[in-house]
Amino acid sequence: MGFDSARSDLVDRLLDAGRIDRPATERALRAVPRHEFVPVSRREAAYEDRPLPIGEGQTISAPHMVAVMSDLLAPDPGDRILEVGTGCGYHAAVTAEIVDDTVYSVEVERALADRARDRFDRLGYDVRVRVGDGFDGWPAKAPYDGAYLTCAPESVPDRIVEQVRPGGRIVAPVGRDRQELLRLTRRADGGIDRETHGGVRFVPMRSPDD
Ligand code: SAH
């Protein structure tokens, strides 16, 4: 089976399983060639619904997890989005299919950032990658309408919360041994609404000198 039909079957299965709510999420998953984001030796598995190794001890998230997080973040086309944890760049490409603005992504591991940049250039995705510590976010491009993390901190860093505008959302796996997927919404009055969306497993967010 070719990659295009394998991708289309995968998205059909995710829809049947109720893993995708928003049409924008569905369109993005149908569009992004996940096989271009995994090592060549893993391409045959690119359209199975599971994480895969991408080098440097990191993984590309399972397609259903990218779908669930995109639905929770629910970006509008005009939104500016911050990602922490570029990895291979797949999730950022999905986000870039949904929004018109540049997607801003921070990655701590230079080798991964370099490879992701090459892919974005080659495939034509408007994603900018900064090598650095995601705990700091990317203040120069703030405020963001939304932010998401693809690595798990023990709690959502304040610096990221501060860079999201009132009314904006943050989707993040949080915890050390047990992680939960959280969605925080900044209220206009300065408060934060917090919802939990089940147990998840992401690589830990680490500091650059670990
Ligand atoms: N978004 C990717 C998944 C990346 S895995 C996808 O589309 O599948 C998580 C990534 O977070 C790894 O690449 C890891 O290097 C990165 N990471 C871990 N700690 C970080 C930190 N403090 N700042 C930025 N990135 C970090």
Side-chain angles (χ1 to χ4, degrees):
M1 184 160 52
F3 289 127
D4 291 351
S5 49
R7 181 162 68 254
S8 156
D9 285 358
L10 167 66
V11 179
D12 290 346
R13 287 199 303 278
L14 293 173
L15 282 169
D16 286 347
R19 298 287 208 170
I20 303 176
D21 284 336
R22 300 180 86 220
T25 303
E26 179 191 344
R27 274 197 298 277
L29 289 177
R30 288 200 187 282
V32 180
R34 191 170 185 258
H35 63 277
E36 298 279 2
F37 291 84
V38 301
V40 174
S41 61
R42 300 281 177 175
R43 280 197 173 168
E44 296 307 317
Y47 296 107
E48 293 171 21
D49 187 20
R50 59 185 174 98
L52 292 170
I54 54 169
E56 323 302 324
Q58 303 301 327
T59 54
I60 177 173
S61 305
H64 78 265
M65 189 49 60
V66 174
V68 165
M69 291 179 72
S70 296
D71 278 340
L72 286 173
L73 191 67
D76 287 324
D79 283 357
R80 172 172 292 198
I81 303 296
L82 171 69
E83 173 184 75
V84 175
T86 320
C88 64
Y90 173 70
H91 197 153
V94 168
T95 306
E97 288 280 352
I98 299 173
V99 302
D100 300 327
D101 197 347
T102 306
V103 175
Y104 294 92
S105 184
V106 184
E107 169 58 53
V108 75
E109 189 72 53
R110 181 173 296 277
L112 291 174
D114 287 344
R115 290 206 288 276
R117 282 190 186 115
D118 287 347
R119 288 193 181 97
F120 296 138
D121 286 349
R122 185 159 51 81
L123 300 170
Y125 285 110
D126 187 9
V127 180
R128 283 189 55 195
V129 182
R130 189 168 76 84
V131 179
D133 186 357
F135 277 99
D136 297 329
W138 190 334
K141 305 295 176 187
Y144 300 96
D145 300 291
Y148 63 93
L149 282 63
T150 70
C151 45
E154 285 178 42
S155 61
V156 178
D158 289 342
R159 299 216 52 204
I160 294 180
V161 176
E162 287 161 10
Q163 289 171 35
V164 172
R165 68 164 170 81
R169 299 191 175 114
I170 300 168
V171 175
V174 170
R176 193 166 41 190
D177 301 327
R178 288 161 53 92
Q179 300 171 1
E180 279 190 313
L181 191 62
L182 298 189
R183 178 167 67 180
L184 309 184
T185 308
R186 276 194 82 171
R187 292 196 312 258
D189 67 8
I192 294 178
D193 292 327
R194 181 190 152 111
E195 302 158 28
T196 57
H197 289 274
V200 288
R201 258 187 94 104
F202 280 77
V203 299
M205 186 171 193
R206 59 187 179 81
S207 46
D209 26 70
D210 276 355

